[in-house]
Amino acid sequence: MGGSPLANPGATRALLEAYGLATKHSLGQNFLVNNHVIEKIMDLAELGQEDRVLEVGPGIGTLTLALLAEAGHVVSVEMDRELEPVLSAHAAAHPNFSFIMGDALRVTPDQIAEATGGEPTMLVSNLPYNVAATVILRYLQEAPSLRRLVVMVQAEVADRICAGPGNRTYGAYTAKLALLARVTGRFEVGPGNFMPPPHVDSAVVRIDRAPVCDPASGEPLTPECLAATAAVIDAAFAQRRKTIRNSMSASGYDKGALDAAFEACEISPTCRAETLSPTDFVLLASKLS
């Protein structure tokens, strides 16, 4: 259950040859050829027929075919024009599949909603590694209908996504992601599961939307509060080797206002940003505003 007919070396090689395609390292194309990994991705995704799935970087459609068997609709965004004939063939065979040729960082939420017949509820992808971190945060921020992401990324990106306060990989990206969602699953994927094998280790991470609430009201943060908190996070981590007071003042925050906010939040001005939780940053932003 949950597998793909393309998730083996023979089927992948045959399809590439049939369309006259070669793997393109410039786009980070390493084709997944282990069906067990596909099955584990599908288990984490827990799709239903009511789900509209967004996939970024479908390649030849290995994961796509597994998604189509379980979701109501799948829309894939692919920027490599040479893959258009393959995706067109999948679309002809599966009425619940549509695709957009373009850059996933430029495609608008409206374009995706139009292609899926509604706003997407899931993002499930073997992401292009060069843009993976950006894609994850962007779609969490701009597509509030997404309730879950199950994504394959480079292992070191997965470490950043999963890090907690005090961890050396915990940074501005992690804290901003944690304002919107939490990690609820992870498994590792070695280079031998791909053709050709990449030079890096990979991991699949499940991220469920779980917005941080305003500590004072218990309500989800407003867009204005989110923006203010993100700005505080960026300033706090701008010079992460410095104390949070020095890093934030170097980014333009008034030292007097900072000292008052630190005292009100019971945050030591000599601590470093990596020791603070996302809720700490929310409190700090509220006092500074």
Side-chain angles (χ1 to χ4, degrees):
M1 182 179 172
S4 170
L6 289 175
N8 64 79
T12 295
R13 198 173 288 113
L15 189 141
L16 291 171
E17 288 174 359
Y19 285 90
L21 298 167
T23 53
K24 293 186 170 183
H25 290 286
S26 63
L27 290 176
Q29 287 177 349
N30 303 91
F31 298 103
L32 184 58
V33 290
N34 185 334
N35 199 48
H36 181 56
V37 176
I38 296 280
E39 290 172 343
K40 289 180 74 173
I41 291 171
M42 298 304 295
D43 285 346
L44 272 187
E46 296 185 82
L47 298 178
Q49 281 299 305
E50 73 283 359
D51 282 310
R52 293 181 294 275
V53 179
L54 169 63
E55 182 189 21
V56 173
I60 59 172
T62 305
L63 177 60
T64 316
L65 295 181
L67 297 171
L68 287 166
E70 296 190 18
H73 195 98
V74 178
V75 59
S76 300
V77 181
E78 175 58 62
M79 69 181 298
D80 183 359
R81 288 280 169 193
E82 287 192 29
L83 293 170
E84 190 167 2
V86 185
L87 297 175
S88 293
H90 292 327
H94 299 273
N96 60 331
F97 177 57
S98 52
F99 64 93
I100 300 169
M101 297 306 301
D103 184 343
L105 294 177
R106 295 176 184 268
V107 171
T108 67
D110 286 347
Q111 285 176 283
I112 293 164
E114 186 179 345
T116 56
E119 294 181 330
T121 59
M122 299 271 199
L123 190 154
V124 186
S125 302
N126 296 332
L127 289 172
Y129 287 0
N130 56 336
V131 295
T134 308
V135 165
I136 292 165
L137 188 56
R138 184 211 156 178
Y139 279 100
L140 269 173
Q141 290 171 333
E142 296 184 10
S145 60
L146 287 175
R147 58 187 179 86
R148 179 174 302 146
L149 293 78
V150 178
V151 289
M152 189 182 305
V153 297
Q154 199 168 325
E156 64 180 44
V157 173
D159 290 343
R160 283 171 61 201
I161 291 169
C162 297
N167 188 299
R168 63 183 178 82
T169 54
Y170 177 79
Y173 178 85
T174 319
K176 286 190 280 191
L177 192 67
L179 294 175
L180 303 167
R182 63 190 176 94
V183 175
T184 56
R186 173 178 176 165
F187 68 88
E188 311 306 305
V189 184
N193 294 288
F194 299 88
M195 188 181 82
H199 299 297
V200 296
D201 290 321
S202 306
V204 172
V205 181
R206 170 170 149 168
I207 305 166
D208 284 2
R209 187 176 292 279
V212 168
C213 290
D214 184 321
S217 68
E219 295 295 315
L221 299 182
T222 64
E224 294 76 21
C225 288
L226 276 172
T229 305
V232 164
I233 289 169
D234 284 334
F237 281 99
Q239 300 181 39
R240 65 180 296 157
R241 291 182 179 275
K242 292 190 174 184
T243 66
I244 189 169
R245 183 180 190 267
N246 288 344
S247 182
M248 292 187 70
S249 63
S251 293
Y253 285 86
D254 176 76
K255 287 186 177 180
L258 283 171
D259 289 338
F262 290 142
E263 186 174 356
C265 297
E266 299 182 348
I267 292 171
S268 168
T270 59
C271 75
R272 288 183 167 77
E274 67 219 40
T275 63
L276 300 187
S277 71
T279 306
D280 290 330
F281 288 116
V282 173
L283 278 170
L284 189 55
S286 70
K287 299 301 180 186
L288 286 167
S289 62

